[in-house]
Amino acid sequence: MELSVKQVREVTGPLLEAFARLMPQLSPQLEAPSAARLQAIVESPSAALFAAEAEGGIRGLLTLVWYDVPSGRKAWIEDVVVDAEARGTGAGRALVAAALEHAAVIGAGKVLLTSNPAREAARALYRKMGFEEAATTVFAIKTDAK
């Protein structure tokens, strides 16, 4: 399978279909984002959306976001998902590699991500690509009404 990763520059029908198919694979309660939300991400000066394509379709997605703080520019890899049928083909590695390359171009001194402990294959991939578990705890609080 020939695989390519591209930064998404426009929201298309196939992209919306891919999100509808893939987001529930990331987490069953997740719904696909709207076209407007995806357009805002594509147009954002602090985000890049990547798609892994093979055999005429989107097989995986990843979002890279970045921000500047006094300690430097940081980037986060978010919402990494590879279609269950395409896992093990290198799509995840290619998506993360594209995100890391982009992070270097935009001057991010550190790239972070979180990964559910149940996602053993993903965690093994991140370790193979040089990520190390940080000696910190991520705290979270929901601020929306949902």
Side-chain angles (χ1 to χ4, degrees):
M1 171 175 6
E2 184 155 338
L3 180 76
S4 67
V5 174
K6 297 176 184 163
Q7 185 174 346
V8 175
R9 303 286 186 188
E10 72 176 300
V11 177
T12 63
L15 181 70
L16 293 170
E17 185 281 327
F19 269 101
R21 186 180 77 254
L22 296 174
M23 290 304 283
Q25 292 183 44
L26 180 60
S27 183
Q29 72 271 16
L30 290 177
E31 295 179 4
S34 67
R37 176 169 289 207
L38 288 175
Q39 190 64 41
I41 293 167
V42 168
E43 293 175 358
S44 172
S46 59
L49 177 61
F50 294 92
E53 299 178 0
E55 298 176 351
I58 296 173
R59 304 294 176 225
L61 298 160
L62 174 151
T63 305
L64 180 74
V65 295
W66 57 91
Y67 57 94
D68 294 307
V69 292
S71 58
R73 179 167 280 184
K74 294 179 175 62
W76 279 86
I77 291 175
E78 295 280 350
D79 296 338
V80 181
V81 60
V82 173
D83 197 327
E85 295 177 6
R87 291 184 188 150
T89 64
R93 176 179 292 279
L95 283 163
V96 173
L100 292 175
E101 182 177 312
H102 194 80
V105 168
I106 55 111
K110 184 182 278 188
V111 178
L112 305 107
L113 58 81
T114 61
S115 183
N116 186 314
R119 295 192 171 277
E120 294 175 12
R123 292 167 66 89
L125 170 65
Y126 301 143
R127 286 186 187 100
K128 285 180 190 173
M129 294 190 75
F131 285 87
E132 298 174 358
E133 286 191 47
T136 190
T137 302
V138 174
F139 291 87
I141 187 169
K142 290 184 69 73
T143 58
D144 60 0
K146 293 180 185 175

